[in-house]
Amino acid sequence: MNYTLHQLQVFLKITQTQSITRAAEELHLTQPAVSIQFRNLQDQFEIPLAEVVGRKLYITDFGKEIAQAAEKILNEVHAINHRTLAYKGHLAGRLKISVVSTGKYVMPYFLADFLKLHPGIDLVMDVTNKTKVLESLRQNEVDFALVSVLPEQLQIEKVELMPNKLFLIGNREQTRHHHLPHDKGIFEQVPLIYREQGSGTRLVMEQYFAQQQLTVRKKLELTSNEAVKQAVIAGLGYSIMPLIGIRNELGAGELQIVSVKGFPISSTWHLIWLKNRRFSPVAAAYLQHLEQEKERIIQERFGWLDLK
């Protein structure tokens, strides 16, 4: 056997994502590079690690056992690195955070200074939809989660970060040529593009429509904030989107905010964690940093949002 740590890391990511393409994206590697590492690992075993049925990749029972062993090995390697840094007096370890998809425009700014202060900390940040974020929190797989809608079924503690403002948006041609009302009646006329079930943005939209007792024209359902933006830019419909995620497109004139009475509608970004969770030294230090620095970060990084 002559497998490498890199091969084990690649294979573990493939088992987690069930996809070579997605593993490549999350590891920031090319798909051919991931395929080569996987093939080199497979060549060392006579028993298949995975099978392709149709066009879908399935991990075999043997492959799942190898993945479990790989995870233990990689965790031990990380532990060695962290202990070495700790012995030198540095704060070291892993900080695990799960972030709803639109939160990728928020969370990095609340992490950057902390990670610069403590280079011995490894960040593991998963960006996904609200349902998966809360499941990772429920399973105690992460230290913190960033959400814009608080869960009702979990006992949590939280730090409020900042408001999340949502506006109705269309593309330049739509907003220029369509003569639409500027009250809630607009939602009964325009085709709307939704995020998928489990999205926090979608939940805020649906709560607003329910409160206003509106019947809306649902045009499309897409699985990412970026996909919704591109669909609106292409003229496929309108959507309600967080301002935090459309700054560049507004600046370029590709998207326009549609004036509607009662808008923006708002939620609030919260960093949450399970109640009574015992923090690692890294997680405790990060929470202390956030409490001390969040107002400065908001002013420096998000002043353009006009959060008052």
Side-chain angles (χ1 to χ4, degrees), residues 196-226:
E196 79 283 5
Q197 287 285 357
S199 158
T201 298
R202 175 167 177 156
L203 180 60
V204 173
M205 285 175 61
E206 290 180 332
Q207 288 175 340
Y208 172 80
F209 294 142
Q211 291 167 358
Q212 300 297 322
Q213 299 181 323
L214 292 172
T215 302
V216 301
R217 291 174 55 196
K218 182 179 174 183
K219 177 76 172 181
L220 289 173
E221 180 177 305
L222 299 172
T223 57
S224 75
N225 201 59
E226 295 302 318

Side-chain angles (χ1 to χ4, degrees), residues 94-98 122-126 142:
R94 278 185 170 184
L95 181 64
K96 295 184 178 181
I97 301 178
S98 190
D122 294 330
L123 173 67
V124 180
M125 188 170 79
D126 182 37
V142 295

Side-chain angles (χ1 to χ4, degrees), residues 101-159:
S101 55
T102 310
K104 66 178 175 284
Y105 303 109
V106 176
M107 198 68 230
Y109 296 103
F110 288 97
L111 287 163
D113 292 344
F114 180 71
L115 296 177
K116 288 176 184 176
L117 285 171
H118 305 289
I121 293 174
D122 294 330
L123 173 67
V124 180
M125 188 170 79
D126 182 37
V127 180
T128 183
N129 71 23
K130 175 175 172 280
T131 298
K132 293 179 180 178
V133 165
L134 295 183
E135 182 60 24
S136 65
L137 192 69
R138 183 180 292 107
Q139 297 297 327
N140 204 29
E141 296 171 350
V142 295
D143 298 303
F144 303 104
L146 180 71
V147 296
S148 59
V149 179
L150 292 174
E152 297 178 356
Q153 304 301 322
L154 287 177
Q155 288 191 319
I156 60 162
E157 297 184 63
K158 64 185 187 295
V159 171

Side-chain angles (χ1 to χ4, degrees), residues 181-187 208 212 258-265:
H182 293 289
D183 58 23
K184 65 182 182 181
I186 190 173
F187 296 107
Y208 172 80
Q212 300 297 322
V258 181
S259 176
V260 181
K261 184 178 180 181
F263 270 64
I265 53 178

